């Protein structure tokens, strides 16, 4: 699951695995092709964001 800003409807949408129709290799890495909630076919480079350590603030 990932978020994507659609080039057709300009909305940031949550994309579920069931919406992905293909995955292909490119020079930059795997590209997922999927159908936006508005019905437009879209593609996006599929990357895993590195885990960010949680910032902990201690109060005395």
């Amino acid at each position: 699951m990932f978020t994507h800003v659609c080039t057709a409807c300009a909305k940031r949408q949550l994309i579920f695995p069931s919406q992905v129709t293909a995955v292909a290799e490119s020079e930059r890495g795997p590209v997922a092709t999927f159908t936006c909630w508005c019905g437009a076919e879209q593609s996006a480079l599929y990357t895993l964001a590195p885990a960010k350590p949680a910032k902990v603030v201690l109060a005395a």
Side-chain angles (χ1 to χ4, degrees), residues 6 8-9 13 35-40 42:
C6 179
C9 68
Q13 303 281 2
T35 305
C36 176
W37 292 95
C38 73
Q42 300 284 294

Side-chain angles (χ1 to χ4, degrees), residues 19-42:
Q19 292 169 271
V20 176
T21 56
V23 176
E25 190 62 36
S26 75
E27 292 177 4
R28 295 177 58 206
V31 174
T33 302
F34 53 92
T35 305
C36 176
W37 292 95
C38 73
E41 186 174 281
Q42 300 284 294

